[in-house]
């Protein structure tokens, strides 16, 4: 019988093993297990964590499973790990500003058991995280979620350069060595091909799969697959909101590189 550790996707293991090596004691989580994120006493997000034996949190969207966009968080901040006996643990991965359980900072690189009664806080973020074992209930529609609907109509292509935030191509797994000027030139060539296409709505998805260096390349550059609270996604959404249906943007610059954004419908 395949263990929970052996069943992990090799792409996930390879991307994260520099910071965390999955222990042998991990197990498959209870279906429906999730994190409830609260701000000001109100649940604003529910994040499923029942698909893998561990989940990494931090600001580096290319590496972590749960990107969190707060300046106080480290690029790879902490990891939540499911034990084969059903318990759950949090481990601070030597972050700069720590992980707090019930307002007490936990030791770095040590396993800290958490339960549904505990409150978790990462770095200086005011958001409180709670472990939940039951299936998540739908959240009330908020202004943030209404705005995020734009992302379901938008796609993007990311071209990285050597001194961007994370110069590793999610598509190839290799380090990016091109300069910013070379990245812009490559993006312009892609742009010129797309604007002359009579079927740009489908062509941009194929172009994203073939050229984009964001993890969303697998979904044809679907912006809805990104963390809607990240600074990169916010910049892409802002660009998409300015576009008319069927319009392709010029270069959009973020910390991750340079992008093209396409909005397919109103």
């Amino acid at each position: 019988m395949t263990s929970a550790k052996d069943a992990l996707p090799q792409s996930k293991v390879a991307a994260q093993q520099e910071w965390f090596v999955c222990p042998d004691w991990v197990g498959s989580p209870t279906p429906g297990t999730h994190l409830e994120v609260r701000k000001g006493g109100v649940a604003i997000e529910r994040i499923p964590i029942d698909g893998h034996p561990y989940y990494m949190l931090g600001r580096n969207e290319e590496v972590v499973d749960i990107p969190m966009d707060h300046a106080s968080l480290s690029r790879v901040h902490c990891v939540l790990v499911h034990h084969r006996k059903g318990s759950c643990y949090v481990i601070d991965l030597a972050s700069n500003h720590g992980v707090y359980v019930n307002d007490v900072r936990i030791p770095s690189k040590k396993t800290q058991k958490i339960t549904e009664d505990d409150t978790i806080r990462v770095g200086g973020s005011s958001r409180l995280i709670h472990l939940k074992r039951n299936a998540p209930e739908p959240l009330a529609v908020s202004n943030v979620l209404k705005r995020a609907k734009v992302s379901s109509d938008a796609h993007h292509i990311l071209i990285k350069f050597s001194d961007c935030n994370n110069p590793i191509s999610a598509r190839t797994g290799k380090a990016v060595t091109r300069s910013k000027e070379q990245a812009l030139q490559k993006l312009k060539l892609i742009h010129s091909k797309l604007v002359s296409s009579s079927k740009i709505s489908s062509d941009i998805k194929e172009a994203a799969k073939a050229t984009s260096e964001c993890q969303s390349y697998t979904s044809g550059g679907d912006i809805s697959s990104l963390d809607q609270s990240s600074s990169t996604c916010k910049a892409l959404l802002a660009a998409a909101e300015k576009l008319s249906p069927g319009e392709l943007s010029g270069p959009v610059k973020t910390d991750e590189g340079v992008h093209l954004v396409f909005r397919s419908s109103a």
Side-chain angles (χ1 to χ4, degrees):
M1 183 176 179
T2 303
S3 68
K5 180 179 179 179
D6 291 338
L8 280 165
Q10 287 307 301
S11 58
K12 171 178 167 66
V13 174
Q16 299 174 340
Q17 63 185 356
E18 178 181 344
W19 297 274
F20 180 73
V21 176
C22 184
D24 293 331
W25 49 260
V26 298
S28 299
T30 303
T33 302
H34 65 281
L35 300 177
E36 181 176 272
V37 183
R38 303 181 72 85
K39 185 174 183 180
V42 178
I44 59 172
E45 188 175 11
R46 294 190 176 105
I47 306 169
I49 55 167
D50 59 354
H52 297 300
Y54 74 87
Y55 285 81
M56 189 175 285
L57 291 75
R59 289 190 297 111
N60 189 337
E61 297 178 7
E62 303 290 347
V63 172
V64 303
D65 304 294
I66 304 174
M68 302 185 75
D69 185 37
H70 193 279
S72 69
L73 268 68
S74 297
R75 291 167 62 76
V76 174
H77 199 93
C78 64
V79 63
L80 295 164
V81 190
H82 296 286
H83 195 282
R84 59 173 172 257
K85 293 184 178 180
S87 51
C88 189
Y89 294 84
V90 61
I91 303 172
D92 182 347
L93 299 177
S95 68
N96 291 328
H97 297 288
V99 176
Y100 297 80
V101 177
N102 302 323
D103 291 326
V104 177
R105 184 167 180 169
I106 67 173
S108 178
K109 297 285 189 176
K110 301 291 185 181
T111 54
Q112 173 71 43
K113 187 175 182 179
I114 55 173
T115 70
E116 291 184 81
D117 295 325
D118 293 323
T119 297
I120 306 156
R121 183 167 57 80
V122 290
S125 174
S126 62
R127 299 184 180 191
L128 303 179
I129 301 172
H130 299 267
L131 175 69
K132 298 291 183 181
R133 299 287 189 181
N134 57 304
E137 298 176 359
L139 292 171
V141 176
S142 66
N143 289 336
V144 172
L145 293 177
K146 287 177 181 177
R147 183 185 179 218
K149 183 183 181 300
V150 175
S151 70
S152 66
D153 301 323
H155 292 75
H156 82 117
I157 292 172
L158 167 64
I159 302 299
K160 295 188 171 190
F161 45 88
S162 59
D163 57 348
C164 69
N165 202 21
N166 178 39
I168 303 293
S169 171
R171 182 169 48 81
T172 66
K174 297 179 180 180
V176 174
T177 58
R178 72 176 69 88
S179 67
K180 185 176 182 178
E181 291 72 23
Q182 289 172 326
L184 283 167
Q185 185 60 36
K186 182 173 182 177
L187 199 73
K188 289 177 181 177
L189 290 173
I190 298 170
H191 183 278
S192 64
K193 291 180 180 179
L194 288 172
V195 293
S196 62
S197 171
S198 60
K199 46 188 178 65
I200 188 172
S201 294
S202 59
D203 282 354
I204 190 166
K205 298 174 186 178
E206 294 305 314
K209 291 177 181 178
T211 64
S212 183
E213 294 173 317
C214 173
Q215 59 190 4
S216 65
Y217 81 92
T218 56
S219 60
D222 187 352
I223 292 178
S224 67
S225 68
L226 304 179
D227 172 25
Q228 304 291 292
S229 65
S230 71
S231 58
T232 295
C233 190
K234 287 177 181 177
L236 298 180
L237 286 174
E241 288 175 341
K242 296 175 183 178
L243 299 173
S244 300
E247 184 180 0
L248 180 67
S249 76
V252 176
K253 299 175 184 178
T254 73
D255 290 341
E256 298 298 324
V258 288
H259 313 247
L260 292 177
V261 178
F262 176 76
R263 187 170 181 180
S264 59
S265 62

